[in-house]
Amino acid sequence: MTTTTAGGSDGFRTSVPGTHCSKDEISLLVIVVDVNPIWWGQQAQREPEFTLSKCLDAVMVMANSHLVMTRTNKLAIIASHCQESHFLYPSKHWKAGDVAGDDVSSGSGDGKYELLSVANDLIAEEIRNLMARTQVKGHQTDTLLAGSLAKALCYIHRISKELDAGQDMKSRILVVKAAEDCALQYMNFMNVIFAAQKQNVLIDACVLDSDSGLLQQACDITGGLYLRIPQKTAIVQYLLWVFLPDADQRSQLVLPPPVHVDYRAACFCHRNLIEIGYVCSVCLSIFCNFSPICTTCETAFKIPLPQMMKPKKKKLKAAN
């Protein structure tokens, strides 16, 4: 971002440190929003002033701000549900040229950027359709966050393959977390984290309720920011202050201090978070209880048993 100031006949150009970027560099932001209907239904009863619609309004404010900062910025929003992971933006009804922000009609009489107006309407329509077809059955009430993150990484990979020659792209994922962690997704979650680290994709976390140990690990491993906001109704301020700037701009800001990371692992047998356990030396599976056979790779361990002391035979006295 540059600012040009003319004084008399001479002109000079100044650049703000840490905000200069190449004209061909693309910044892709993928926002994963937790729309768990059970959690948001309970939240509406606890705090009627902060509902899912208010949260999505704050997310769209940040999304619009990201799009208008630079012409080459790209955006994607994924709704993480307890039954599926659904793209809110871009959707199947959206044209590829509109996603890139090119050739957007600017005939609106009110001067509003057409891309933002259409994107907001599309996001609202997609979330209404998603919640309308929701039917919570059985005990599957956990948010499919690991699958949503995997879908976000696939989308980032696809966009990176569509770049023109000489173009660079910086990608990051922002997770707006509502419901509690699901220990059953531990393995899938860790695979996604290490895949993001390998692709140099930052993972940020904006947590609305209880702390998430899995997201703490994700942010620490990938170099992102983790923040549990103290006041839910002020979410838009935290999104614009903490999570809107990219990694290069954050060094110029005074951000909340890093939190203590909970690096406890989940056992493979019961999916419980443990501090001390048994690790298979072949596949590195973790168990809370000892087992002579690994249930993951079926390796049988040779256990040295304590040697039994042979009883001494009493010498029979010779009969006189």
Side-chain angles (χ1 to χ4, degrees), residues 1 29 53 61 68 128 148 151 158 163 174 176 186 245 250-251 269 289 301-302 317:
M1 183 182 299
L29 172 63
S53 60
V61 169
V68 301
R128 280 195 301 266
S148 300
K151 182 173 287 189
R158 195 195 80 183
L163 296 178
L174 170 62
V176 181
Y186 175 78
R250 290 173 183 175
S251 60
C269 45
N289 297 320
F301 303 104
K302 296 180 179 179
K317 294 183 179 180

Side-chain angles (χ1 to χ4, degrees), residues 17-38:
T19 60
H20 180 72
C21 61
S22 173
K23 64 179 181 179
D24 294 330
E25 189 177 52
I26 295 176
S27 178
L28 173 60
L29 172 63
V30 182
I31 305 177
V32 178
V33 185
D34 188 349
V35 296
N36 189 307
I38 297 178

Side-chain angles (χ1 to χ4, degrees), residues 5-285:
T5 305
S9 59
D10 297 329
F12 61 91
R13 183 183 297 269
T14 59
S15 299
V16 180
T19 60
H20 180 72
C21 61
S22 173
K23 64 179 181 179
D24 294 330
E25 189 177 52
I26 295 176
S27 178
L28 173 60
L29 172 63
V30 182
I31 305 177
V32 178
V33 185
D34 188 349
V35 296
N36 189 307
I38 297 178
W39 188 93
W40 282 108
Q42 297 172 351
Q43 169 64 26
Q45 296 178 353
R46 292 191 303 262
E47 301 178 48
E49 66 275 7
F50 183 71
T51 59
L52 176 59
S53 60
K54 298 290 182 61
C55 179
L56 289 176
D57 289 342
V59 170
M60 285 191 285
V61 169
M62 178 187 176
N64 294 344
S65 302
H66 174 75
L67 288 177
V68 301
M69 285 184 67
T70 309
R71 178 180 58 85
T72 56
N73 281 2
K74 290 180 178 292
L75 174 71
I77 301 179
I78 301 176
S80 185
H81 198 268
C82 60
Q83 297 174 346
E84 61 176 309
S85 298
H86 183 72
F87 266 98
L88 301 180
Y89 176 85
S91 70
K92 297 179 180 178
H93 309 290
W94 194 254
K95 297 179 181 179
D98 295 338
V99 174
D102 299 332
D103 302 331
V104 179
S105 174
S106 58
S108 178
D110 58 358
K112 187 176 182 180
Y113 188 25
E114 189 70 15
L115 175 63
L116 304 184
S117 177
V118 177
N120 292 345
D121 295 340
L122 181 64
I123 293 171
E125 179 183 359
E126 290 292 331
I127 193 64
R128 280 195 301 266
N129 296 336
L130 175 62
M131 302 307 288
R133 65 174 181 266
T134 298
Q135 294 181 356
V136 179
K137 297 180 180 179
H139 301 285
Q140 184 59 37
T141 58
D142 297 317
T143 304
L144 303 179
L145 188 58
S148 300
L149 290 175
K151 182 173 287 189
L153 287 179
C154 292
Y155 180 78
I156 292 173
H157 181 72
R158 195 195 80 183
I159 295 299
S160 65
K161 294 299 183 181
E162 297 175 355
L163 296 178
D164 298 332
Q167 276 189 323
D168 296 327
M169 185 177 75
K170 294 187 299 183
S171 306
R172 55 193 175 105
I173 301 174
L174 170 62
V175 181
V176 181
K177 184 76 162 59
E180 295 183 357
D181 283 342
C182 177
L184 295 175
Q185 302 181 29
Y186 175 78
M187 280 302 302
N188 297 333
F189 209 101
M190 296 307 298
N191 290 335
V192 169
I193 292 174
F194 291 120
Q197 183 190 34
K198 188 173 182 180
Q199 295 183 21
N200 296 321
V201 177
L202 271 68
I203 297 180
D204 298 326
C206 178
V207 181
L208 304 178
D209 200 0
S210 57
D211 278 315
S212 170
L214 295 176
L215 283 178
Q216 287 179 354
Q217 298 183 38
C219 298
D220 187 61
I221 293 174
T222 61
L225 290 176
Y226 176 92
L227 177 64
R228 179 189 176 190
I229 59 175
Q231 189 175 358
K232 299 184 184 68
T233 54
I235 181 175
V236 65
Q237 286 91 330
Y238 291 103
L239 291 177
L240 297 178
W241 166 43
V242 179
F243 299 107
L244 180 60
D246 57 17
D248 297 332
Q249 297 169 343
R250 290 173 183 175
S251 60
Q252 310 296 326
L253 302 175
V254 179
L255 299 175
V259 298
H260 174 72
V261 181
D262 183 5
Y263 267 108
R264 289 184 299 171
C267 66
F268 285 40
C269 45
H270 303 96
R271 305 300 184 188
N272 295 326
L273 296 179
I274 58 176
E275 296 181 359
I276 300 176
Y278 299 88
V279 181
C280 174
S281 59
V282 178
C283 65
L284 302 181
S285 298

